[in-house]
């Protein structure tokens, strides 16, 4: 696995309201980690989560981790005597989109990803170590009881973003 100097993973939470023309903002704490993980490139990798109705975001260095994960899963299946379809698994692991962002973190969300994750009013980011998840607040509210704490974090992040917006306007 290629080591990325200075990349410590993704932590914390943030909210970004929907902008005009399908634009969103990658919050500063996530933006800097993605940039470090991408070797200085302003490239955000996005894909749909395999189980939840949200997106997964990460930097380019995760590609090597996904290769290692594929190998591990294949070896485990062989040891257990189970079939393993390498190409089918590659479809889910390596189907991520590379999305450029500018110095302010602005990026255009691909419409297909926006639809898959039910993104409407904004994006709630939650760090998960080697990657982060991105939920639509509306979708997160619909996820149910296993996501109550995450929904409370989302509501706090939305209130904080609204407060910052009011301060800038005054």
């Amino acid at each position: 696995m290629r080591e990325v100097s200075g990349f410590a993973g993704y932590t914390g939470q943030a909210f970004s309201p929907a902008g005009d023309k399908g634009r969103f903002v990658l919050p500063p704490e996530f933006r800097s980690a993605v940039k470090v993980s991408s070797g200085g490139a302003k490239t955000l990798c996005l894909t749909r989560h395999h189980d939840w109705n949200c997106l997964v975001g990460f930097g380019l260095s995760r590609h090597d981790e996904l290769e290692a994960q594929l190998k591990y899963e294949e070896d485990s299946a062989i040891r257990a005597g189970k079939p393993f379809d390498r190409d089918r698994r590659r479809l889910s692991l390596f189907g991520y989109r590379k999305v450029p962002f500018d110095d302010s973190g602005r990026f255009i969300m691909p419409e297909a990803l926006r639809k898959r994750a039910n993104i409407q009013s904004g994006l709630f980011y939650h760090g998960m170590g080697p990657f982060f998840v991105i939920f639509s607040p509306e979708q997160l509210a619909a996820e149910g009881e296993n996501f109550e704490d995450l929904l409370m974090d989302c509501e706090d992040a939305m209130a904080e973003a609204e407060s910052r917006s009011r301060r800038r306007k005054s």
Side-chain angles (χ1 to χ4, degrees), residues 109-143:
M109 176 67 70
E111 189 62 28
L113 289 177
R114 194 174 179 154
K115 286 178 183 177
R116 286 182 194 134
N118 193 27
I119 294 170
Q120 299 168 31
S121 66
L123 304 176
F124 171 64
Y125 298 82
H126 182 82
M128 306 238 339
F131 60 90
F132 53 94
V133 291
I134 305 170
F135 276 96
S136 153
E138 297 84 5
Q139 184 60 46
L140 184 56
E143 289 293 328

Side-chain angles (χ1 to χ4, degrees), residues 34 42-46 97-101 106-110 113:
V34 167
K42 292 180 277 189
T43 304
L44 170 63
C45 299
L46 292 172
R97 303 271 186 103
K98 295 178 183 176
V99 179
F101 58 91
R106 289 179 303 223
F107 67 95
I108 296 175
M109 176 67 70
L113 289 177

Side-chain angles (χ1 to χ4, degrees), residues 9 16 44 57 76 146 167:
S16 170
L44 170 63
S76 295
N146 292 332
R167 285 193 304 268

Side-chain angles (χ1 to χ4, degrees), residues 3-150:
E3 181 146 335
V4 180
S5 178
F7 178 66
Y10 302 99
T11 60
Q13 300 87 26
F15 176 77
S16 170
D20 60 341
K21 301 176 187 171
R23 280 187 275 202
F24 291 92
V25 174
L26 187 59
E29 58 271 35
F30 291 90
R31 181 181 339 148
S32 60
V34 167
K35 196 171 173 184
V36 169
S37 173
S38 294
K42 292 180 277 189
T43 304
L44 170 63
C45 299
L46 292 172
T47 191
R48 189 165 187 276
H49 191 278
H50 67 280
D51 199 28
W52 304 335
N53 196 11
C54 67
L55 301 179
V56 175
F58 49 90
L60 294 171
S61 68
R62 185 142 168 82
H63 183 89
D64 293 342
E65 294 173 23
L66 295 174
E67 283 289 351
Q69 180 178 336
L70 180 66
K71 176 83 171 111
Y72 173 78
E73 290 177 10
E74 183 176 36
D75 291 346
S76 295
I78 290 168
R79 280 193 305 277
K82 295 182 178 180
F84 185 79
D85 187 336
R86 189 174 180 83
D87 290 336
R88 183 172 305 280
R89 188 61 177 130
R90 278 185 175 282
L91 282 173
S92 63
L93 288 176
F94 296 101
Y96 58 84
R97 303 271 186 103
K98 295 178 183 176
V99 179
F101 58 91
D102 67 14
D103 289 335
S104 298
R106 289 179 303 223
F107 67 95
I108 296 175
M109 176 67 70
E111 189 62 28
L113 289 177
R114 194 174 179 154
K115 286 178 183 177
R116 286 182 194 134
N118 193 27
I119 294 170
Q120 299 168 31
S121 66
L123 304 176
F124 171 64
Y125 298 82
H126 182 82
M128 306 238 339
F131 60 90
F132 53 94
V133 291
I134 305 170
F135 276 96
S136 153
E138 297 84 5
Q139 184 60 46
L140 184 56
E143 289 293 328
E145 65 186 51
N146 292 332
F147 291 85
E148 289 172 339
D149 288 341
L150 204 56

